[in-house]
Amino acid sequence: MAFTCSDDGEQSTLFLSGSLDGTSVREFAALTDELVAEGRRHVVLDMAELTNIETPGVAAVVALHKHTRELGGEVRIAGIDGQPLAIFKLLRFDKVFDL
C-alpha cells in the first residue's frame, strides 16, 4: 500500500494505491487520525489505483467517515473500481458514499 496526501485548505485528498489490508491499514489509520485531529472535515479518498481492500481497510474507511461526520464534514470516494467497488457495493456502501 502506498498513499500520498494533498491539501488545498478546503479538503484533503488521499491517493490510495495497492492493497488496503491488515498490514497497511495501520499507516492509513495513523494518517487519517492525524487529519481528524487537525480538524480536517472534508476528505476525499481517491481509490483509482487501489486494487484490493480487506476487512481492516473497510473498517478504517468507516471510522474515518464516522469521525469526519462528528466534525460536521464528509468523506467522499473517488475513482473506485474493481474489487474495492465490488466490496463497497456488497456492503451497500454505495448508499452511504457517493460512488
Side-chain angles (χ1 to χ4, degrees), residues 4-74:
T4 56
C5 182
S6 70
D7 194 321
D8 68 5
E10 293 290 318
Q11 72 181 15
S12 298
T13 302
L14 296 176
F15 298 91
L16 311 177
S17 64
S19 181
L20 186 53
D21 54 24
T23 303
S24 61
V25 76
R26 290 181 189 109
E27 188 177 353
F28 175 80
L31 178 58
T32 58
D33 287 349
E34 183 179 320
L35 291 174
V36 170
E38 292 174 356
R40 310 299 174 129
R41 300 179 322 136
H42 302 287
V43 178
V44 176
L45 298 178
D46 186 320
M47 297 186 177
E49 299 295 321
L50 189 68
T51 57
N52 183 54
I53 190 166
E54 295 179 3
T55 302
V58 172
V61 171
V62 170
L64 175 61
H65 172 70
K66 177 183 174 212
H67 293 133
T68 56
R69 297 231 353 148
E70 288 171 353
L71 295 173
E74 66 178 344

Side-chain angles (χ1 to χ4, degrees), residues 58-92:
V58 172
V61 171
V62 170
L64 175 61
H65 172 70
K66 177 183 174 212
H67 293 133
T68 56
R69 297 231 353 148
E70 288 171 353
L71 295 173
E74 66 178 344
V75 171
R76 292 184 330 165
I77 307 290
I80 191 169
D81 198 16
Q83 186 266 2
L85 178 60
I87 294 297
F88 272 54
K89 284 186 174 182
L90 178 70
L91 296 172
R92 303 185 61 87

